[in-house]
Amino acid sequence: MSYPVLVQRARDLVHRISKEVHSEYGLSSMAPSIYDTAWLALVPDKTAEQSRWLFPESFAYLLETQNPNGGWDPLEQSSRAVKYPDSLWLPDCIIHSLAALLALCRHFRLAGCQGSNLPEDALARIFHAKRFLDEKLAAWTLEGTTHFGFELLIPVLLQLLSDEGLSFDFPVKEELLVRYEKASIIDLNWLYDGPCQVPLLSLEAFIGKLDFSKLEHLVSDGGILASPASTAAYLIYAPKWSEKCETFLRHVVTNGQGQGNGAVGGVFPLELFEPSWVLTALLENGFTTDNLGVDQVDSIIRVIHGSLNEGVTGATRVWLPDADDTSRALLTLNLQGYQISPKGLVDKFEVGHCFETFDNRMPNRVNSVSVNANVLSSLLHSPDPSAFTAQIEKVARFICSRWKATGKFEDHWNISEYYGIMHMAQSLTLLLVKQAQGALPSISVISYNLIHDTVPSCLREALDYILKNQHGDGSWGELHCNEETAYAVVSLAHLGSHLAVVGENDWKTDLAIARGKQFLLEHWKHGSNNPDRVWTGKILHGIAYVGEAYILAALKVNRVNLAGFRGIHPN
């Protein structure tokens, strides 16, 4: 790909974001979710004189995407040359298929009064889906399942299907129901007391436990907590109709990645997460503001800056602030010449040995390697890094200890180990650069071994690990996919930019980067609305704009140019 074409594609991406981020509901490029779409297909239109479904197009999408084997599988396992591991794929297709089957059963049962446009083979579809799920549930084990809230979501779907006359028995059902009882014994009264900003909360997971008549105060311009599924569940179970929720869902159907075909993603909007991640991915890896469009970048920057409240922000305005999005927002702003202190970040999220993703308003605060690496990058790009030497040292030690403890990263937010490695490589390499530039005058005295031994050793091991684990086709990762490969290429470029890390491996690093870029050029389809699903949640998500940004960054990044920009000289 020629340099002008590469720059134009990055510019086009930023231009799209700059337009969408100012829309009334914000933006989300999250790939369509069968699970969330199924919940929309279940919403009756309670305002119509005659009974009908509010989103018949969502039900039509479910019919179109049912596989010949009876199930629903956004991961496209059957057609993949390299498969997702069963620990990821089985719970994913089970959650999607249970929700879609529920919609199919309810449409079948209410066809006479709701006016469903059922296909002639509707009953056969139900039987095929039941058979598919029987087979997958029989093969599923709870061990290794990491989907958020699966112990709540799956039992609720099983109960709703039982109400429709379908029951399931499978080896781990009893164990699953025990987990459900433990997970659901929580006091939900706090949801009735006032506004809620809990990220990734699934109201539909508490059907049968929640009094939906007491939740009207949760309705916002982002529906219910930026969740199409939760918003749909509210419309189904709340006694009072919400025009605001209906309008929100209609916008998501029309303007989300489905573009009117009835499908919706799992989160909408992500108007702060996506712009911050896209801009930092591009600007840290060789693109300039002039490349991306000064006016467009400035337009996005103003939105990010305006989201800060006491120095912190979240993935979307309807969620609580978190350390990850705050770090990326501060990094974005300070890369553009702002002089914003990370004091709010430190005050909110610092704990004894690291930074946690959420503050004490969340029951599970989550410590993550990638989040701490983003915190470190943000601290190092702050107006006065030396004022936060203690925090910088703490986070660097935490990251290195996690690498040494496991040999690789298993991150909370992304299934690819190379996602965590990439953020580690960027932040720890930057730490060495800042120390050499004199920006951290006391850290060499206080933490001599950290700077001169622990960090370089950790980075050299990471470099060696990436070089050894490149596949024959030039890709990386269990899935041999574009986004994982992009993470690895960016990692190598940053690791290879520092002589203390790359040593005599410069030619190996250059060769691996070249092979990785060639893989991307051969396999990446620009403009595809089917991004790699590597982001974690109640299902596995693909985020199109973020994935595209990392791929463009990988194609643009150059280790020698990075070194020259930082005033260091690799071989």
Side-chain angles (χ1 to χ4, degrees):
M1 184 185 300
S2 68
Y3 176 79
V5 171
L6 185 62
V7 169
Q8 187 60 51
R9 288 186 174 176
R11 192 182 188 92
D12 290 344
L13 172 60
V14 171
H15 183 71
R16 289 199 303 274
I17 292 173
S18 71
K19 289 177 60 179
E20 293 178 26
V21 77
H22 289 284
S23 67
E24 181 180 0
Y25 292 96
L27 69 97
S28 171
S29 68
M30 193 168 276
S33 157
I34 294 294
Y35 172 82
D36 291 83
T37 302
W39 277 102
L40 265 69
L42 288 163
V43 180
D45 186 350
K46 298 178 183 178
T47 65
E49 292 183 3
Q50 291 184 325
S51 296
R52 64 185 185 187
W53 300 102
L54 190 64
F55 296 105
E57 64 269 44
S58 296
F59 183 64
Y61 181 82
L62 298 179
L63 296 177
E64 292 168 9
T65 52
Q66 187 176 14
N67 290 336
N69 61 12
W72 286 263
D73 179 19
L75 301 185
E76 300 176 341
Q77 187 84 333
S78 61
S79 61
R80 294 185 63 88
V82 181
K83 311 292 186 186
Y84 282 82
D86 281 352
S87 61
L88 293 172
W89 174 63
L90 281 172
D92 205 73
C93 72
I94 287 169
I95 291 170
H96 287 299
S97 297
L98 285 171
L101 176 57
L102 175 62
L104 192 55
C105 287
R106 195 163 296 176
H107 277 250
F108 185 81
R109 176 168 62 84
L110 298 175
C113 57
Q114 291 285 95
S116 279
N117 188 20
L118 282 174
E120 293 181 359
D121 63 345
L123 190 57
R125 285 172 175 266
I126 291 172
F127 288 148
H128 287 151
K130 174 68 164 61
R131 190 179 305 118
F132 172 86
L133 278 162
D134 281 334
E135 178 184 325
K136 301 312 172 193
L137 286 165
W140 179 41
T141 60
L142 303 189
E143 185 178 354
T145 299
T146 56
H147 288 57
F148 300 173
F150 76 91
E151 67 277 13
L152 291 167
L153 297 173
I154 293 178
V156 165
L157 289 170
L158 291 172
Q159 180 57 53
L160 292 173
L161 281 164
S162 178
D163 295 342
E164 299 294 332
L166 287 183
S167 61
F168 293 86
D169 290 304
F170 48 96
V172 297
K173 184 176 182 179
E174 184 176 345
E175 182 185 354
L176 176 65
L177 294 180
V178 169
R179 291 199 188 190
Y180 171 75
E181 290 301 324
K182 290 181 179 178
S184 62
I185 301 176
I186 59 173
D187 182 8
L188 295 172
N189 287 321
W190 60 275
L191 278 171
Y192 307 139
D193 294 337
C196 171
Q197 294 180 284
V198 175
L200 302 172
L201 180 68
S202 301
L203 287 191
E204 72 276 12
F206 298 99
I207 290 170
K209 305 278 186 180
L210 274 176
D211 183 349
F212 280 80
S213 69
K214 298 179 179 179
L215 299 177
E216 186 176 358
H217 59 278
L218 297 184
V219 175
S220 72
D221 290 337
I224 302 287
L225 297 170
S227 167
S230 291
T231 306
Y234 179 79
L235 286 177
I236 296 167
Y237 292 99
K240 183 179 178 181
W241 190 254
S242 170
E243 290 186 5
K244 184 175 281 190
C245 284
E246 178 186 346
T247 303
F248 165 75
L249 288 178
R250 290 198 182 281
H251 175 86
V252 177
V253 168
T254 303
N255 297 286
Q257 287 296 288
Q259 292 294 297
N261 68 356
V264 295
V267 180
F268 196 106
L270 286 169
E271 81 283 2
L272 301 173
F273 166 83
E274 292 202 38
S276 294
W277 253 254
V278 167
L279 284 183
T280 51
L282 297 175
L283 292 170
E284 284 187 299
N285 292 292
F287 290 98
T288 66
T289 303
D290 286 339
N291 291 153
L292 305 178
V294 174
D295 291 342
Q296 286 73 28
V297 171
D298 184 61
S299 174
I300 296 169
I301 289 292
R302 289 199 303 272
V303 171
I304 296 171
H305 186 245
S307 75
L308 292 176
N309 182 9
E310 298 182 354
V312 295
T313 190
T316 171
R317 286 184 176 86
V318 302
W319 287 355
L320 289 171
D322 65 84
D324 211 16
D325 288 284
T326 297
S327 297
R328 285 274 126 180
L330 294 178
L331 177 58
T332 307
L333 294 168
N334 287 331
L335 284 173
Q336 290 302 296
Y338 284 71
Q339 296 286 305
I340 300 179
S341 169
K343 185 178 183 302
L345 170 70
V346 172
D347 291 345
K348 278 277 188 183
F349 305 110
E350 184 183 10
V351 294
H353 66 296
C354 65
F355 279 63
E356 292 187 329
T357 306
F358 302 107
D359 64 22
N360 56 17
R361 288 174 288 182
M362 286 285 288
N364 181 12
R365 297 186 62 175
V366 183
N367 59 57
S368 154
V369 171
S370 67
V371 172
N372 277 270
N374 283 331
V375 168
L376 180 56
S377 291
S378 180
L379 295 174
L380 292 169
H381 277 289
S382 66
D384 182 14
S386 65
F388 300 95
T389 299
Q391 288 79 18
I392 289 169
E393 178 188 357
K394 173 190 293 187
V395 173
R397 289 191 186 281
F398 172 78
I399 295 168
C400 292
S401 69
R402 290 288 290 268
W403 172 261
K404 288 189 174 184
T406 64
K408 68 176 186 178
F409 290 150
E410 293 181 1
D411 196 71
H412 187 80
W413 303 109
N414 193 295
I415 66 171
S416 173
E417 62 180 306
Y418 294 99
Y419 179 74
I421 292 173
M422 174 183 67
H423 288 298
M424 178 187 77
Q426 290 177 300
S427 61
L428 291 184
T429 303
L430 183 61
L431 171 60
L432 297 182
V433 172
K434 290 289 186 179
Q435 186 274 330
Q437 291 173 344
L440 302 166
S442 64
I443 200 165
S444 288
V445 177
I446 299 171
S447 307
Y448 183 89
N449 287 338
L450 175 70
I451 293 296
H452 296 281
D453 181 19
T454 306
V455 168
S457 176
C458 179
L459 293 176
R460 284 192 291 269
E461 289 176 12
L463 175 66
D464 186 57
Y465 183 85
I466 300 171
L467 292 175
K468 286 181 177 178
N469 284 280
Q470 187 173 25
H471 301 305
D473 61 3
S475 68
W476 279 271
E478 283 188 299
L479 303 177
H480 295 238
C481 70
N482 294 322
E483 194 161 338
E484 282 199 275
T485 299
Y487 299 156
V489 169
V490 170
S491 301
L492 284 178
H494 284 263
L495 293 167
S497 71
H498 203 290
L499 182 58
V501 178
V502 72
E504 297 180 355
N505 283 319
D506 56 322
W507 66 273
K508 293 181 182 178
T509 303
D510 288 336
L511 179 60
I513 289 173
R515 292 178 60 221
K517 290 187 177 187
Q518 187 60 37
F519 175 87
L520 293 174
L521 290 171
E522 292 175 359
H523 293 85
W524 178 48
K525 296 178 181 177
H526 178 249
S528 170
N529 61 355
N530 189 24
D532 296 316
R533 294 177 187 257
V534 294
W535 296 86
T536 56
K538 54 190 172 187
I539 55 165
L540 291 181
H541 299 293
I543 308 176
Y545 291 169
V546 176
E548 183 177 348
Y550 277 118
I551 291 166
L552 290 169
L555 291 171
K556 178 71 168 66
V557 73
N558 182 293
R559 73 175 187 93
V560 176
N561 289 347
L562 280 177
F565 178 75
R566 293 166 171 172
I568 53 180
H569 304 285
N571 292 351

